[in-house]
Amino acid sequence: MSGTSGGLEVRLGHRVHPGLTLDVSFRLGSEPGILFGPSGAGKSTVLRLIAGLSRPDRGFVGLNGSVLFDSAAGVRVQLRDRRIGLIFQDDLLFPHLDVGRNVRYGLKSWGRRAADDRLATIAGLCEIGHLLGRRVATLSGGERQRVGLARALAPRPRLLLCDEPVSALDLDARQALIDRIKAVQRAESIPILYVTHSPAEAVALGSRMFLLSGGQIVAEGPPLDVLASRTSAESTGWNSIRNVFRATVEGQDPSGHSTTLGIVDGPSLVVPALDRPPGSLVTLAVGADEIVLSRGPIGVISARNLIEGTVDRVAPHGPEAEVVVRTGGVTWVVGVVPGAVDSLGLIAGVEVRMIIKARSCRVLPDGPT
Amino acid sequence: MIGDLGPFWLSLRVAGLATLLIVTLGVPVALLLARLRFPGKGLVAGVLVLPLVMPPTVLGYGLLLILGRRGWLGGWLESAFGASVVFHWSGAVIASTVAAFPMFLVPARGAFEGVDPALEDAARLLGRGETSVFLSITVPLAWRGLVAGGVLAFARAMGDFGATMMVAGDIPGLTQTASMAIFDAVNADDPGRAAGLSLLVALASIGAVLVAQRTMPGRGPGR
């Protein structure tokens, strides 16, 4: 594949329904991109427009320097010539073909030898070698999605679009499929655009996140940054959860009631018991309004987490204020009332302690539901 | 005892040709009705299934008016080719084609409607053109309905009496089909011939069902 300059370029205007008009512009290089937003934001529609399954009202879609759609120039490349792989929430496997024939479906124009080789490679990558002779109806949900992934990737698409492919799977199968997609992405070095409303999936998979809200891309950047931004909290309705970190499981409390997590480049926290082995990566979220700030001595209290930090800046936001606290390599956003800023003397450089209850720490196996 | 088997062979030939015509015309029509939206679609669909609810003799009379020497189509055929389908076995083919057409159209349309267009889009995205998608996805997934419709149409054409009689008449050795021969045998008090021909027609229809069943996949499209 010539992963030449450009990658994916999207500028689209499209009326989805009277209450939602998309006006979306973004560029994606060869990294895995996440299209994130609340349900009903139009994420799947954007994907359908890029794939060509729906016709955009106006705009432009370019991929690796070639034009797929350009309303101004009257260009609309046929589906069969787009060379875009798509995996769906509903896997859309062909029910009358066995697994092997499903995966081979896009290899019709390849020579027999080349198709055999490609099938073997892709079956290995997606771990479906043992399923090739099976009827589609006999597969589990996770197997079906792996077959769907293999089928989409077999003809070497120039872009892989994923429309919430794990949402119908149970937790373990979700994690497995996301790991699989990551592995495949590396092996095939193919750009991915992945639609989800789940922060955990976004953090686990993406290196660039586009936040879709009100029909527009309102924020873009590394997933953790976008998730922690005020824009994200406002536009996703995922209120006040402003602190999102990747963390590893460090150990279990002997009583079995709590688990210690180590935030990557940051402090350790005690959270309610979590059934994950030490070393597992998880996503940790703490609401900005659930953190208490303190200066001076603290008596014996029930909160499990007392974290030393330095105030980085204080930003007023109408009836509330945002205090940004730095601990090691990570920053926290704490919501307080303006009166607290005055009585604690919160200004940049002041040492504070954050008091966080274990029960205020949410470990995200999945989205905010 | 059965006597001359000519009428039975004629019925087979007429029903076979009629089924061929019906499937050839019916597949595109069913696909259009299943996939396209256009004004007057309900009317078109209604007219096409009209033969199902009309008495066969009324249908046959209507065809006679159109195809007869003074009918607009029949008159044109006469002047252009010097040919007439009235009182000719080709008239029997046309009559049973019209009479049996809805028997194929209704299940075929339902079968095409049952194929998820998203599967066809998935196939297109995998690099296949329209013909390839139709043959490799649409037809296999609609197969049961298409075959069922074909069998129904064949059986209906095989047994047609009224419409064929009106258009092609009952000329022994020329247009007399098995149904007419059975009717004549009963009138002529020849129960052996009537029973024998009836048995043959019944076996042919049952045979068509059996053949159709063998073309079905072991289990339905598991969706």
Side-chain angles (χ1 to χ4, degrees):
Chain A
M1 277 308 309
S2 59
T4 53
S5 69
L8 176 67
E9 185 185 350
V10 176
R11 296 193 308 270
L12 289 173
H14 187 72
R15 202 172 102 118
V16 183
H17 54 75
L20 178 63
T21 299
L22 294 171
D23 184 5
V24 170
S25 283
F26 63 92
R27 270 176 169 280
L28 178 68
S30 56
E31 74 268 61
I34 303 287
L35 189 58
F36 183 82
S39 297
K43 306 184 293 292
S44 295
T45 305
V46 172
L47 227 53
R48 292 181 61 83
L49 295 174
I50 295 171
L53 296 174
S54 307
R55 186 194 190 111
D57 293 342
R58 66 196 150 74
F60 178 89
V61 179
L63 183 58
N64 297 345
S66 72
V67 178
L68 295 183
F69 178 80
D70 187 347
S71 57
V75 176
R76 191 185 181 206
V77 173
Q78 299 258 347
L79 282 185
R80 68 166 181 269
D81 298 323
R82 294 202 168 207
R83 295 190 52 211
I84 288 179
L86 181 51
I87 56 176
F88 309 84
Q89 193 169 341
D90 171 3
D91 50 71
L92 291 179
L93 297 181
F94 304 131
H96 60 299
L97 302 179
D98 66 20
V99 169
R101 289 201 172 89
N102 262 280
V103 178
R104 269 176 178 278
Y105 192 82
L107 300 177
K108 195 176 181 222
S109 60
W110 294 39
R112 188 178 171 79
R113 280 284 301 278
D116 285 346
D117 291 351
R118 183 63 180 157
L119 179 66
T121 307
I122 212 76
L125 267 178
C126 298
E127 282 187 2
I128 55 164
H130 58 297
L131 302 174
L132 290 178
R134 291 263 294 275
R135 289 182 57 89
V136 163
T138 66
L139 302 179
S140 73
E143 289 169 341
R144 291 180 72 98
Q145 287 295 8
R146 293 214 301 280
V147 174
L149 179 64
R151 187 182 70 177
L153 287 169
R156 292 193 184 282
R158 298 180 292 179
L159 169 71
L160 181 65
L161 301 173
C162 309
D163 189 4
E164 309 216 24
V166 306
S167 56
L169 304 179
D170 62 49
L171 268 186
D172 288 343
R174 278 180 193 204
Q175 197 56 51
L177 185 68
I178 287 172
D179 290 346
R180 181 69 39 208
I181 291 175
K182 273 163 80 173
V184 163
Q185 196 272 339
R186 275 196 300 272
E188 300 267 307
S189 60
I190 175 180
I192 289 186
L193 186 61
Y194 186 101
V195 157
T196 184
H197 63 270
S198 153
E201 279 170 39
V203 172
L205 188 61
S207 59
R208 185 149 202 89
M209 180 189 257
F210 305 93
L211 175 59
L212 182 65
S213 176
Q216 296 187 318
I217 305 290
V218 294
E220 108 172 54
L224 286 176
D225 293 357
V226 173
L227 283 171
S229 71
R230 171 160 276 270
T231 322
S232 157
E234 279 164 1
S235 56
T236 60
W238 195 31
N239 282 325
S240 78
I241 292 186
R242 305 284 302 286
N243 301 292
V244 185
F245 305 110
R246 298 230 71 184
T248 49
V249 176
E250 288 185 339
Q252 307 288 351
D253 180 90
S255 68
H257 296 310
S258 62
T259 298
T260 305
L261 299 183
I263 292 174
V264 177
D265 297 329
S268 295
L269 266 83
V270 174
V271 301
L274 184 67
D275 189 18
R276 285 287 172 88
S280 319
L281 269 176
V282 296
T283 303
L284 172 70
V286 184
D289 294 338
E290 294 177 75
I291 301 175
V292 175
L293 288 183
S294 143
R295 294 185 72 185
I298 298 173
V300 180
I301 61 169
S302 67
R304 302 322 299 154
N305 300 298
L306 299 177
I307 298 169
E308 311 268 352
T310 312
V311 173
D312 196 66
R313 63 181 186 273
V314 179
H317 274 288
E320 56 183 319
E322 251 180 41
V323 181
V324 178
V325 179
R326 180 175 301 283
T327 63
V330 297
T331 54
W332 302 70
V333 177
V334 181
V336 295
V337 292
V341 174
D342 300 335
S343 62
L344 269 76
L346 296 175
I347 51 168
V350 165
E351 300 286 322
V352 290
R353 264 182 288 194
M354 293 185 291
I355 304 172
I356 305 171
K357 296 175 65 169
R359 295 185 57 174
S360 298
C361 299
R362 292 172 61 185
V363 179
L364 302 174
D366 184 42
T369 54
Chain B
M1 191 170 85
I2 295 182
D4 176 26
L5 285 182
F8 173 70
W9 298 123
L10 180 63
S11 276
L12 268 188
R13 184 166 50 156
V14 166
L17 281 172
T19 307
L20 205 65
L21 271 175
I22 288 168
V23 172
T24 310
L25 295 171
V27 164
V29 172
L31 198 61
L32 290 181
L33 287 177
R35 288 293 149 81
L36 287 191
R37 287 176 171 201
F38 53 91
K41 176 171 159 177
L43 187 69
V44 172
V47 167
L48 287 172
V49 297
L50 219 49
L52 209 56
V53 293
M54 283 224 279
T57 42
V58 174
L59 191 67
Y61 183 62
L63 284 172
L64 195 57
L65 289 181
I66 296 170
L67 296 170
R69 288 197 166 81
R70 269 170 281 168
W72 59 268
L73 193 55
W76 176 78
L77 280 174
E78 174 99 18
S79 61
F81 301 103
S84 174
V85 298
V86 175
F87 302 118
H88 186 261
W89 68 268
S90 60
V93 173
I94 292 174
S96 45
T97 296
V98 172
F101 188 71
M103 304 297 276
F104 176 77
L105 183 68
V106 173
R109 178 185 173 179
F112 284 136
E113 281 172 346
V115 178
D116 185 352
L119 286 173
E120 296 167 331
D121 278 343
R124 291 183 187 105
L125 270 178
L126 288 165
R128 297 291 189 95
E130 291 306 311
T131 310
S132 178
V133 171
F134 180 71
L135 293 178
S136 66
I137 303 294
T138 317
V139 167
L141 290 177
W143 188 245
R144 281 171 166 262
L146 297 179
V147 170
V151 170
L152 284 174
F154 176 80
R156 174 73 181 78
M158 191 79 194
D160 185 62
F161 185 79
T164 305
M165 174 79 107
M166 295 295 284
V167 176
D170 178 8
I171 308 168
L174 192 58
T175 67
Q176 188 188 55
T177 61
S179 300
M180 292 168 203
I182 292 165
F183 179 75
D184 289 349
V186 171
N187 277 346
D189 199 16
D190 186 352
R193 178 167 171 75
L197 280 174
S198 295
L199 191 65
L200 277 179
V201 172
L203 285 176
S205 294
I206 291 169
V209 172
L210 291 178
V211 169
Q213 274 179 347
R214 298 204 61 157
T215 74
M216 298 283 183
R219 271 175 290 174
R223 285 190 65 83

